Amino acid sequence: MKKILIADDEKNMIWAIKRALKDEGYTIITASNGKEAIESVKIHEPDLLLIDLKMPEMNGLEALKNIKKNFPNTLAIMMTAHGNVETAIEAMKIGAIDYISKPFDIEELKIQIRKALDIRKMSDTIDYLTEELKNKTGKRIIGESKGLKNVLNIVDKVAESKATVLITGESGTGKELIANAIHYNSDRAKNPYIKVNCGALSENLLESELFGHEKGAFTGAINKKLGRFERADGGTIFLDEIGEINLNVQVKLLRILQEREMERVGGVETIKVDVRIIAATNKDLMKMVEEGKFREDLYYRLNVIPIEIPPLRERKDDIKLLTYYFLNKYSKELGRKEFKLTDEALDTLKNYEWRGNIRELENVIERLVILSEDNVITKEKLPKEILYIKGQIDNFKLPSSGINLEEVERNLITQALEATNFNQTKSAKLLGITRHALIYRIEKYNINTKK
């Protein structure tokens, strides 16, 4: 039963709210001022706090500030006088998830309470999912952004089902972690969990690895071999880089998805398998279907539950958490003291595009911890490719005296070459132009490309 704490010095208001929520199944706790509210949160740990702004001894804002400092996970809705927008904004900054103006419609309050408790449920679910994943794999999902919460909400809903899942997203976004979370929070968690990197195996080897082979099926097949699907029977198989499989293997995979049966390479025996399939790719499979490189029927069989992981550049709220997580991880591994990050350095990291996503961020932080002579990461210590970010161009203002555009262009090209150790492909990527366009400009400005 959900517990709601109502903090208000008006007895009539508390009575009215309690009466309205009587049939909703909540346990109601009350407080008549800010200090009582703080004590009640300590004792009862409510799922939701409804707190009035104006109260004796300590007002709602002061009480909420104290509660969020000591009990940061407490969800709160601030009750304010009609039209007091400034106070409502201040309450949201402190940590209230919403506000409602007095006098309010009781049905509107009920809706806001339900929404708030849904957020609580999602938050608890995410905590559970990430903790279970950490316990099973030693790895955890880090982040609080809306995009990541949406992904984990889907994970929670699909984990207990047998539905096939297709995880999409750029390289380095954490597709395997999401697959792990689905398996380890399903009723198959104690059964086999087999992972296959489809892009790392040749065409013939992949077929044999997935479906197994009989003795003598091909040169070198001196013994019968069970395939990954047979080994995953009763559990889950994770097919990473599914866009790399050839059309012949696609046909066999389609049969497993449709009939839950297969034959080993060189075999005639039909083998039944009970396997939950999770696939992942950084490719546009629909585009591959249009190009004839991926079977349309297989695509729809795989895409029963689609989960798209947003790139890190769309999860800027998570960059700070991830950065400090990796700083802590690598400082412990190397026996270093706790690292600090200046605000300027953090802002620079947030504004970088992170084309390599979380994997790139982790690599950068590991490098910084290894190479840093002290325990403070400043902007100046960041890699050159991060310092030369596109966001700086957006903020550039043309001076009233004007500039020499060719001189600026020559300077930027030189900086890009130096930042990439004179790798022309990487330099062109930094500048947002093609390699041919870069070579043309190098020749135009007679830039020395020798190290």
Side-chain angles (χ1 to χ4, degrees):
M1 189 176 290
K2 299 296 182 182
K3 290 184 283 187
I4 297 177
L5 170 59
I6 306 169
D8 198 317
D9 62 319
E10 296 181 34
K11 292 182 179 179
N12 289 340
M13 178 58 68
I14 289 180
W15 177 84
I17 296 174
K18 284 179 70 175
R19 186 171 182 273
L21 300 179
K22 182 179 63 174
D23 298 326
E24 299 293 320
Y26 304 129
T27 298
I28 305 296
I29 307 149
T30 64
S32 60
N33 59 57
K35 289 184 178 179
E36 281 187 18
I38 293 170
E39 289 303 313
S40 291
V41 169
K42 289 180 185 177
I43 297 168
H44 300 288
E45 297 182 3
D47 296 287
L48 178 65
L49 167 64
L50 294 176
I51 185 165
D52 189 38
L53 172 64
K54 291 186 178 181
M55 293 186 291
E57 296 191 48
M58 182 185 287
N59 67 37
L61 281 178
E62 291 173 339
L64 181 59
K65 194 178 293 183
N66 182 292
I67 289 167
K68 293 300 288 185
K69 180 181 178 181
N70 296 294
F71 305 93
N73 293 328
T74 303
L75 296 183
I77 295 175
M78 180 66 73
M79 298 184 289
T80 68
H82 180 68
N84 198 340
V85 179
E86 292 81 4
T87 304
I89 293 172
E90 183 63 26
M92 301 285 271
K93 286 180 180 178
I94 292 171
I97 60 166
D98 211 341
Y99 71 93
I100 188 164
S101 298
K102 292 181 177 180
F104 48 75
D105 180 82
I106 204 66
E107 291 303 318
E108 181 187 353
L109 177 64
K110 287 181 181 179
I111 290 169
Q112 285 188 256
I113 288 173
R114 290 189 200 110
K115 284 182 179 178
L117 293 175
D118 283 344
I119 291 172
R120 162 67 68 193
K121 182 181 177 182
M122 185 185 293
S123 178
D124 290 344
T125 296
I126 289 169
D127 289 343
Y128 172 77
L129 287 172
T130 54
E131 194 60 33
E132 280 294 293
L133 182 61
K134 183 187 176 187
N135 292 339
K136 296 289 194 332
T137 68
K139 298 178 180 179
R140 63 188 309 161
I141 299 169
I142 306 295
E144 294 180 348
S145 64
K146 183 179 178 181
L148 182 63
K149 286 183 177 179
N150 288 339
V151 167
L152 293 179
N153 190 35
I154 297 172
V155 169
D156 176 51
K157 291 177 179 177
V158 305
E160 291 297 331
S161 74
K162 295 181 180 180
T164 303
V165 178
L166 178 62
I167 306 170
T168 58
E170 296 177 7
S171 294
T173 49
K175 295 187 288 295
E176 185 176 340
L177 272 179
I178 297 302
N180 293 348
I182 293 171
H183 172 73
Y184 288 118
N185 287 282
S186 73
D187 56 6
R188 295 171 177 252
K190 294 181 180 179
N191 297 335
Y193 180 35
I194 305 298
K195 301 179 183 182
V196 186
N197 185 335
C198 301
L201 300 170
S202 66
E203 180 177 331
N204 293 332
L205 186 56
L206 177 62
E207 186 176 4
S208 173
E209 281 294 318
L210 289 177
F211 309 109
H213 62 252
E214 298 291 349
K215 181 180 178 180
F218 50 83
T219 304
I222 57 176
N223 293 303
K224 180 176 76 172
K225 178 181 177 179
L226 299 183
R228 303 283 183 99
F229 275 101
E230 282 184 86
R231 287 165 52 197
D233 191 39
T236 304
I237 190 166
F238 173 49
L239 303 176
D240 199 8
E241 297 189 39
I242 192 73
E244 301 295 332
I245 64 174
N246 62 65
L247 292 171
N248 180 47
V249 175
Q250 287 179 33
V251 172
K252 292 194 170 187
L253 180 56
L254 179 64
R255 184 182 174 198
I256 285 185
L257 283 163
Q258 289 177 329
E259 310 296 337
R260 301 293 165 178
E261 61 184 32
M262 49 160 268
E263 283 95 31
R264 300 188 193 103
V265 176
V268 294
E269 178 191 358
T270 298
I271 301 163
K272 291 283 186 180
V273 287
D274 173 22
V275 179
R276 202 254 182 93
I277 297 174
I278 303 173
T281 182
N282 60 6
K283 293 191 172 184
D284 184 345
L285 293 187
M286 198 65 240
K287 184 179 179 182
M288 291 181 67
V289 168
E290 293 169 0
E291 294 172 347
K293 297 177 181 177
F294 203 87
R295 292 182 64 100
E296 185 174 14
D297 46 6
L298 176 59
Y299 170 73
Y300 288 115
R301 284 284 182 178
L302 289 171
N303 200 41
V304 177
I305 304 290
I307 299 179
E308 183 177 1
I309 305 178
L312 188 55
R313 61 183 171 274
E314 294 177 11
R315 293 170 47 192
K316 291 189 181 293
D317 292 345
D318 294 338
I319 291 175
K320 180 178 179 180
L321 290 172
L322 285 163
T323 298
Y324 277 104
Y325 173 78
F326 292 133
L327 280 173
N328 183 57
K329 174 185 175 181
Y330 288 108
S331 61
K332 282 184 177 178
E333 283 186 10
L334 297 167
R336 301 285 299 272
K337 291 181 180 178
E338 185 178 343
F339 273 74
K340 294 181 180 179
L341 192 73
T342 65
D343 291 342
E344 194 177 21
L346 180 60
D347 288 341
T348 304
L349 292 175
K350 285 183 175 180
N351 289 323
Y352 183 59
E353 287 198 356
W354 298 110
R355 292 183 182 275
N357 293 292
I358 298 171
R359 190 178 296 129
E360 182 184 5
L361 174 61
E362 181 174 5
N363 291 343
V364 166
I365 300 303
E366 182 181 12
R367 188 193 325 168
L368 287 169
V369 171
I370 292 171
L371 299 179
S372 182
E373 294 180 359
D374 55 32
N375 295 85
V376 179
I377 304 297
T378 62
K379 179 181 176 181
E380 292 70 29
K381 292 181 181 179
L382 299 178
K384 290 181 179 178
E385 65 267 22
I386 290 178
L387 294 174
Y388 305 135
I389 53 177
K390 288 184 179 180
Q392 293 174 341
I393 296 173
D394 297 333
N395 297 323
F396 177 78
K397 301 295 182 185
L398 183 69
S400 57
S401 58
I403 59 168
N404 184 321
L405 188 57
E406 290 191 348
E407 188 177 314
V408 171
E409 187 175 40
R410 187 184 195 283
N411 183 268
L412 288 173
I413 291 170
T414 302
Q415 288 185 47
L417 288 166
E418 290 175 350
T420 60
N421 202 23
F422 293 87
N423 182 304
Q424 292 181 352
T425 302
K426 290 182 179 178
S427 298
K429 190 175 180 181
L430 275 180
L431 295 165
I433 59 177
T434 65
R435 184 168 176 269
H436 292 297
L438 175 63
I439 293 171
Y440 167 77
R441 285 168 171 78
I442 288 172
E443 293 175 354
K444 175 184 176 182
Y445 298 122
N446 195 26
I447 297 172
N448 184 4
T449 57
K450 294 181 180 179
K451 299 181 186 178

